[in-house]
Amino acid sequence: MQIKNLTITHKKDLRRIVENLSFSLQPGDCAVIIGEEGNGKSTILKWIADPKKIEDYAEWTGEAVKEKVGYLAQELEDWERELSVYEFCTKEEMFWETSPAELAHYAKELDISTELFFSEQKLGTLSGGERVKIQMARLMIAKPDVFLLDEPSNDIDLNTLEWLEQWMSRCTKPILYVSHDEILIEQTANMIIHLEQVIRKTKPKHTVVRMSYSEYITNRKMNLDKQIQEAGNQKRERKKQQERFQRVQQKVEHAQNSVSRQAPHAGKMLKRKMKVVKTMERRFEREWQDRVEVPDTEDAIFIKFEKASSIPNGKTVLDFYLEQLTCNENILAQHISLRVIGAEKIVIVGKNGIGKSTLLKKMAESLLDRMDMKVGYMPQNYAEQLNENETPVQYLSVTGEKEEMTRIRTYLGSMKYTPDEMDHAILKLSGGQKAKLFLLKMSLSGCNVLILDEPTRNLSPLSNPVIRKSLRAFPGAIISVSHDRAYMEEVCDRIYEFTKEGLKPLD
């Protein structure tokens, strides 16, 4: 696959998302697109899969030379969510040429039942992980020449995540993907495509290199530090040079003003000297044009939870017990109990479809009405808690006063929203931008208990270290569901596995 001079422009604010991007993929290439939320990662994958997918919000120029592509979307379309699993699978023509043995193989690889391919259950009623698995299975059945994967690790359980890493590492077909999972990126990517928005998000910039993620991050930091140092040295030397030149120029000008008409020879000498001075000035200016510039890069996001949101160490935040957890009259688990004291940070893991999100929602319901705590809840499906027709500013506003609006815009700016994006409908924002809205709302509301369902699932690998650091420093309690290994290691005090017999602590 080859991409030639791709330029994409947002229709509403005429902001260029990407400019003159070119790269090619060969068999065995596994290329990851990284960059902050809203920088166009998903848009590029959609355009390659089918330009019609972005025509309602973007214009483009450029060319994609490609064969058959298989595309895994970050989110299913509404009409797709209404399809049965069987309808979704059989829309792929190759399904009818796939033998029962092959279907059984794919099912075993993805830890799902073969019967699921023929299920009349609607896709929208499956767990997030089950939906990703069905999409991956359909891609494997299609046997494309190139795989386009938008957040393939979203919502899948740890066993499937390990399978995904191995599959991506072994795959001989080119893969182009977007992921928030730094460990997955490090284990699989041999090519990095980094999208940035510089000069206050007014100009797109991209870097394409063939190396591992850790190598790229290390080299990038070293090169930036070196460039910053060289630019600083040249600036200081320029200042000294200008001071020396100004002293020489002032001395010659003073001599010219002092020479008398009775000394024509001295006057001619001073004119020649001034000509030399002017020549020096022009040379200095030419040299300055070739100076090392201070690197123009996209700054990291910034978020901080205020100390006012702390919680007493001995306070019982949650004392939860549920005899049975059911869904559609099916018993998912029983005898579920969890006790959270003080500022503990808890994460729940478990197989896809076991009911983790359903359980977390139950816990949220038991806490949201508490008057002695301020509780914030981020669901897996953002639309449950967001009015997506509002703008980010409207969503965060409480009073609507001018001073509050100004403060909100400052906070949104620290999370790398452009002024135009602040006034876009939330519906038009990327998944990562929506996730940051939840975190910002919790920060501004002074929450001291956070209930988070896959909090890092749509954030970039560049944003995630900042988010993890802020959540680790958060002085309140966190109850979460996640399969993000870096999040579990860096943020959480206790890990529980959710099984049919309830919650079991993991060492």
Side-chain angles (χ1 to χ4, degrees), residues 374-403:
K374 182 70 175 175
V375 181
Y377 173 45
M378 175 195 285
Q380 190 180 105
N381 180 9
Y382 301 146
E384 290 178 15
Q385 295 285 313
L386 287 175
N387 176 356
E388 296 195 318
N389 293 316
E390 286 185 327
T391 67
V393 174
Q394 290 169 333
Y395 171 69
L396 295 173
S397 176
V398 176
T399 66
E401 294 176 357
K402 185 177 179 181
E403 186 179 331

Side-chain angles (χ1 to χ4, degrees), residues 85-86 89 95 99-119 134:
V85 178
Y86 176 70
C89 291
F95 184 86
S99 68
E102 277 186 285
L103 288 180
H105 172 72
Y106 297 142
K108 184 178 178 181
E109 291 271 282
L110 289 160
D111 193 23
I112 56 178
S113 67
T114 309
E115 289 74 24
L116 187 58
F117 292 120
F118 303 93
S119 171
I134 285 295

Side-chain angles (χ1 to χ4, degrees), residues 59-72:
E59 297 174 338
W60 65 88
T61 58
E63 182 184 0
V65 180
K66 61 187 181 182
E67 296 183 49
K68 182 181 179 182
V69 299
Y71 172 57
L72 183 145

Side-chain angles (χ1 to χ4, degrees), residues 368-484:
L368 285 168
D369 291 333
R370 288 268 293 269
M371 301 299 292
D372 58 331
M373 298 183 300
K374 182 70 175 175
V375 181
Y377 173 45
M378 175 195 285
Q380 190 180 105
N381 180 9
Y382 301 146
E384 290 178 15
Q385 295 285 313
L386 287 175
N387 176 356
E388 296 195 318
N389 293 316
E390 286 185 327
T391 67
V393 174
Q394 290 169 333
Y395 171 69
L396 295 173
S397 176
V398 176
T399 66
E401 294 176 357
K402 185 177 179 181
E403 186 179 331
E404 182 200 46
M405 293 293 194
T406 302
R407 188 168 65 253
I408 285 171
R409 288 181 179 276
T410 300
Y411 281 118
L412 285 168
S414 72
M415 296 291 269
K416 302 307 163 196
Y417 286 82
T418 67
D420 287 308
E421 286 168 342
M422 295 176 196
D423 295 319
H424 280 179
I426 292 172
L427 183 66
K428 299 293 184 182
L429 299 178
S430 70
Q433 287 172 308
K434 292 175 185 177
K436 289 194 291 190
L437 265 188
F438 275 101
L439 294 170
L440 196 49
K441 181 81 165 181
M442 293 170 181
S443 172
L444 296 177
S445 301
C447 293
N448 52 14
V449 178
L450 307 182
I451 304 173
L452 309 174
D453 197 345
E454 295 285 1
T456 60
R457 63 195 286 266
N458 288 318
L459 297 167
S460 80
L462 303 165
S463 292
N464 260 327
V466 179
I467 298 297
R468 291 197 301 267
K469 187 176 179 181
S470 295
L471 291 175
R472 179 67 249 179
F474 174 62
I478 297 176
I479 304 166
S480 58
V481 165
S482 181
H483 299 111
D484 184 329

Side-chain angles (χ1 to χ4, degrees), residues 69-80:
V69 299
Y71 172 57
L72 183 145
Q74 187 180 129
E75 299 287 349
L76 291 172
E77 301 280 350
D78 289 341
W79 65 269
E80 290 176 310

Side-chain angles (χ1 to χ4, degrees), residues 68 94 98 102 106 138-145 173:
K68 182 181 179 182
M94 291 289 289
T98 306
E102 277 186 285
Y106 297 142
R138 196 174 86 156
L139 279 189
M140 294 163 74
I141 289 167
K143 297 180 174 64
D145 299 299
K173 303 286 181 68

Side-chain angles (χ1 to χ4, degrees), residues 12-13 26 36 94 127 133 143 163 189 240 246 254 269 276 282 298 317 334 340 363 465 476 479:
K12 183 173 181 181
D13 52 25
Q26 307 299 329
E36 292 295 349
M94 291 289 289
S127 73
K133 289 180 178 183
K143 297 180 174 64
W163 168 83
K240 291 178 184 176
Q246 284 170 0
H254 178 73
M269 290 292 290
V276 171
R282 287 193 294 271
E298 187 169 29
V317 174
Q334 52 190 356
V340 180
M363 291 179 178
I479 304 166

